[in-house]
Amino acid sequence: MERRTIGAAALDVGAIGLGCMPMNWAYSRSEQRGDRSLRTVHAALDAGVSLLDTADMYGPFTNELLVGRVLKERRAEAFVSTKCGLLVGDGGELRHVVANGRPGYVRRACDASLRRLQTDVIDLYQLHRADPEVPVEETWGAMAELVSAGKVRALGLCAVGSRSARRRATGLSRDGYEGTIHQLERIQQVFPVAAVQAELSVWSQEALTRLLPWCVARGVGFLAAMPLGNGFLTGTLTPGGGFEPDDPRARHPRFTAEMMAANQPLVAGLRRVAARHGPEVTPAQVALAWVLGRGRHVVPVPGTKRESWAVENARAAGLRLTEADLAEIAALPAARGSWD
């Protein structure tokens, strides 16, 4: 697989990463099986994927434990990215999450993640969310100390965009990432930001306006979260959803039956492009190739718990879209439905 570098530290990773969250948190928990997820991670590594993206809040904690079982055997092949800064309440519910950016907590969280991951160093340690009660510089300073201590190689920030129609309508926000860029400017003065992780896909292009250019101008890597639109751009979801109650898409405005049907032209366009490249090429691979084409500093991190999909996603690194392909994708209608 093609290799890409993250940030000024030139951290080397495969061009496509693996989001591990769906393996045992937030998506269809009744389907989760540890052995199957382990096979998925191993298959991704075999296919040239190296960046494994997890977080202490996923589970909570169980996702890091899962990744740790793989790292115990194949640490040299993997680039491990995990996160701190969010605490999950009883039951592991997404709706019961609070931020904690206190320096003492950050230090304890890192040590706990290292134990669960069965490694002595985290390649990329990301701040999941800034704590509104703690100056972000204090949190970032504690994370920088972890680099000095040899526990972490580089630091990243997960960006939060606000797509509120009210904010757009009132002119308070053009791309939703003003707050994140302000945070980045502040923490960059404390310790270099190696990577920013934010949503980017064919149906969610908000980051292209200012956030991605900010990263390019400063040599900061960009990890594209949800590059397959929470699975929609794969073309495998049935309009109407049928999601399990614990799947966040069951409550998401863009995944109602009406909106999924309204957005089918996006999938149809990706299918047309895929067909021009051969019967084995899928809409998901086209969607990932489009993200890869946003720049050499961009690494899409699709999440999956299925071995076959992890391999399919990895193969997208070899797909080269033509100018005609890119023009067709650019002409697709904007996605419909709220994305708050």
Side-chain angles (χ1 to χ4, degrees):
M1 180 186 291
E2 172 195 348
R3 308 291 293 184
R4 294 195 167 186
T5 56
I6 295 177
L11 303 172
D12 181 68
V13 298
I16 290 178
L18 175 65
C20 298
M21 183 184 76
M23 296 177 185
N24 54 10
W25 195 58
Y27 292 91
S28 303
R29 298 184 198 183
S30 64
E31 295 183 12
Q32 291 157 1
R33 301 182 182 90
D35 290 343
R36 183 173 72 175
S37 294
L38 286 172
R39 289 196 298 271
T40 298
V41 181
H42 282 293
L45 291 172
D46 290 342
V49 170
S50 59
L51 192 155
L52 307 179
D53 187 66
T54 182
D56 57 2
M57 74 171 289
Y58 299 160
F61 311 130
T62 55
N63 203 246
E64 286 188 329
L65 289 168
L66 173 74
V67 174
R69 292 173 63 185
V70 177
L71 294 180
K72 186 177 181 180
E73 300 177 25
R74 306 180 67 172
R75 182 65 182 94
E77 301 169 66
F79 180 101
V80 61
S81 166
T82 192
K83 312 175 190 74
C84 70
L86 287 179
L87 302 176
V88 183
D90 293 341
E93 292 292 334
L94 276 167
R95 288 170 286 186
H96 302 141
V97 175
V98 296
N100 188 339
R102 291 187 289 274
Y105 164 74
V106 168
R107 298 182 192 103
R108 293 191 299 274
C110 179
D111 287 341
S113 289
L114 287 167
R115 288 193 297 271
R116 287 188 291 267
L117 292 166
Q118 301 192 57
T119 185
D120 58 0
V121 64
I122 294 166
D123 295 306
L124 180 67
Y125 202 38
Q126 300 186 68
L127 179 59
H128 219 151
R129 295 290 185 273
D131 185 341
E133 303 300 322
V134 179
V136 68
E137 292 90 343
E138 290 186 17
T139 305
W140 199 253
M143 295 174 69
E145 291 174 5
L146 299 171
V147 179
S148 298
K151 297 179 179 181
V152 171
R153 294 179 63 199
L155 303 181
L157 179 73
C158 290
V160 180
S162 171
R163 302 169 187 81
S164 165
R166 181 188 67 80
R167 286 178 62 84
R168 288 200 301 269
T170 57
L172 294 176
S173 173
R174 287 191 173 274
D175 66 6
Y177 285 111
E178 279 88 346
T180 293
I181 291 174
H182 180 60
Q183 289 177 347
L184 286 165
E185 295 284 5
R186 291 163 60 188
I187 63 178
Q188 188 81 320
Q189 303 303 311
V190 177
F191 190 87
V193 179
V196 171
Q197 183 164 350
E199 183 177 357
L200 177 61
S201 70
V202 169
W203 85 340
S204 184
Q205 301 185 27
E206 189 177 27
L208 297 178
T209 306
R210 285 192 59 208
L211 184 59
L212 186 53
W214 186 95
C215 293
V216 173
R218 292 157 182 81
V220 174
F222 189 95
L223 306 186
M226 293 176 277
L228 297 176
N230 293 93
F232 183 83
L233 299 176
T234 67
T236 61
L237 299 181
T238 303
F243 303 113
E244 295 187 14
D246 57 1
D247 190 316
R249 293 172 295 187
R251 302 180 299 275
H252 203 293
R254 196 172 274 188
F255 284 92
T256 64
E258 178 185 5
M259 287 299 100
M260 289 182 71
N263 286 316
Q264 286 303 308
L266 286 168
V267 175
L270 295 177
R271 287 191 191 281
R272 288 193 299 271
V273 172
R276 291 202 289 268
H277 289 268
E280 301 301 318
V281 177
T282 66
Q285 291 173 325
V286 172
L288 290 172
W290 180 89
V291 174
L292 285 167
R294 298 316 91 199
R296 291 277 309 167
H297 47 282
V298 177
V299 177
V301 188
T304 185
K305 57 179 173 286
R306 299 192 183 185
E307 182 178 350
S308 60
W309 288 352
V311 173
E312 176 185 316
N313 292 342
R315 289 174 179 163
L319 178 61
R320 298 293 179 265
L321 300 181
T322 67
E323 291 299 323
D325 296 334
L326 295 172
E328 179 159 359
I329 294 171
L332 294 175
R336 295 178 57 189
S338 170
W339 199 238
D340 292 333

